Amino acid sequence: MAGTNTISDRLGDYLRARRALVSPADVGLPPTGRRRVPGLRREEVAELVGLSTDYYVRLEQGRADRPSDQVLDALGRALRLGSAERAHLHDLARPPRPARTTAAAGVRSEMLRPAVRQVVEAVPVSPALVMNDRSDVLAWNRPATALIADFPNLAPRERNMARRIFLAPDAREVHSDWDEAARTTVGVLRMAAGRRPHDPELVRLVGELSLGSDIFRKLWAGHHVHEKTHGPKRFRHPVVGDVALTYETFQVPGAAHHVLVVYTAPPGSPAEQALHLLDRSDGVPAVR
C-alpha cells in the first residue's frame, strides 16, 4: 500500500515486479531451461545493466545507495520500460522529502481557480472534467453530469473516479470498458504514489480501495503505471446506450497535479448524436 513501505522497499518491489515481466528472449539472452520464477534472474538484469550482481541485489533489497541517473536509465532499457514507467522508476529512486505541513499542502492541491472552473463549464456538448492525480473530480460541466455521474449531488469524497470505478455498485454499467478503466486508474494512482509517497489522502484512498476491492488489490500488486494523456473511452447511458469517445488531457497551468480531461466524438458518429441528444434533453443527469 502506498506510504506503508520505505522508499527503498518501493523501489525494490517495482524492480522485482518489472523483471518478472521480461523473458530472456525479450532481451536477446539464450534460453537456459526451466525456471522456478518467471522473468529475468537478478544476475541477468545486472549483466544487462553493467552492474555487479551484488549491487543489483542490494538495490532490490533496499541496502544500496541511491542509484545514479545513468544506472536508472540502463535499468529502464534492460527492463523494457516505457516513458511513464521510466519516469516512475526515477520517482521511486528520487522521492521528495515529507512536507512539514502535509495537511496544508493537501488543501492547496485541491484548490481550483474560479476561471478554470468557468472554462470547464463553458465547454459545450463534450463532457469535460478537471481531476487531480488522486482521481478527485474538482470541476465538471453539464454533459459530464449527464453522461458520467451526477457530480453536483455527490458528497465531495464520492467525487473520485477511482472510488466510483472500484466501489460504486453501478460501475460496470457506467463504464463499458470497465476492465481497462480499472487498470489505467490503478496505474494513474501508482504514478501519483511515486511522485508523492507522503500524500496522506492518497495513502488513505489506496487503503480504502484495497480493503473494498479484491480486483484493486491484485492490480495494485502488479505495479502497473499509467500516465493519463489521451485514448479511447466508452460509457454506457440508460437513455442513449453505449457512447464511444476519445479523450485528451491538458495540464492546468499553475497546478502541477491538475489536468483538464475532455471527451469528444468523431463528427457524424453515433456517439456525437448521443451527446447532442443529452444536450438537447437539458442535461438530464444519468441514473446513477
Side-chain angles (χ1 to χ4, degrees):
M1 206 164 46
T4 60
N5 294 346
T6 67
I7 300 305
S8 297
D9 287 341
R10 286 194 289 269
L11 177 60
D13 288 345
Y14 189 57
L15 291 173
R16 285 188 292 273
R18 294 307 309 186
R19 71 178 170 87
L21 299 177
V22 183
S23 71
D26 290 335
V27 292
L29 294 177
T32 57
R34 187 173 181 179
R35 294 177 173 235
R36 290 180 298 173
V37 293
L40 297 175
R41 298 186 176 110
R42 288 169 169 174
E43 58 269 25
E44 291 169 335
V45 177
E47 180 182 352
L48 289 168
V49 177
L51 302 173
S52 70
T53 300
D54 177 68
Y55 179 76
Y56 180 76
V57 170
R58 285 189 285 120
L59 266 182
E60 282 201 0
Q61 293 177 344
R63 297 187 292 110
D65 294 332
R66 291 188 176 187
S68 67
D69 287 342
Q70 291 81 1
V71 167
L72 293 173
D73 290 340
L75 283 168
R77 291 190 295 271
L79 298 176
R80 302 171 63 86
L81 303 184
S83 59
E85 294 156 342
R86 290 195 301 271
H88 184 62
L89 179 66
H90 280 261
D91 287 338
L92 293 178
R94 302 282 189 276
R97 294 182 178 180
R100 292 183 179 180
T101 55
T102 306
V107 171
R108 285 197 299 273
S109 72
E110 301 291 344
M111 295 179 66
L112 197 65
R113 296 197 311 276
V116 174
R117 191 178 302 278
Q118 292 166 17
V119 168
V120 176
E121 293 174 350
V123 175
V125 183
S126 294
L129 305 168
V130 171
M131 301 170 62
N132 63 18
D133 57 0
R134 292 192 299 260
S135 296
D136 295 320
V137 177
L138 308 178
W140 54 87
N141 65 355
R142 191 179 68 176
T145 297
L147 181 63
I148 304 172
D150 190 8
F151 294 110
N153 290 315
L154 290 176
R157 73 182 303 275
E158 297 303 322
R159 296 174 191 153
N160 177 281
M161 293 308 296
R163 263 194 199 94
R164 298 201 61 75
I165 286 173
F166 286 100
L167 302 182
D170 62 346
R172 291 180 182 270
E173 298 173 15
V174 176
H175 300 271
S176 304
D177 55 355
W178 189 89
D179 289 337
E180 180 62 19
R183 184 171 185 271
T184 58
T185 296
V186 171
V188 168
L189 294 182
R190 267 288 180 194
M191 288 286 287
R195 296 188 186 111
R196 297 192 291 161
H198 308 291
D199 181 347
E201 291 299 322
L202 180 56
V203 171
R204 280 192 285 271
L205 175 63
V206 172
E208 178 186 353
L209 297 177
S210 297
L211 289 173
S213 170
D214 292 339
I215 296 176
F216 178 87
R217 262 197 320 277
K218 180 178 179 181
L219 290 172
W220 186 258
H223 290 266
H224 167 66
V225 297
H226 179 78
E227 190 166 16
K228 193 176 182 70
T229 55
H230 63 275
K233 176 62 190 174
R234 291 183 290 123
F235 294 102
R236 184 178 296 119
H237 188 275
V239 175
V240 298
D242 288 335
V243 185
L245 305 173
T246 58
Y247 71 87
E248 294 285 339
T249 63
F250 306 90
Q251 185 68 50
V252 175
H257 305 300
H258 293 175
V259 292
L260 168 64
V261 186
V262 181
Y263 300 91
T264 61
S269 66
E272 184 189 47
Q273 296 172 15
L275 292 180
H276 281 290
L277 178 60
L278 288 175
D279 184 56
R280 287 195 300 270
S281 67
D282 198 30
V284 175
V287 179
R288 299 287 186 258

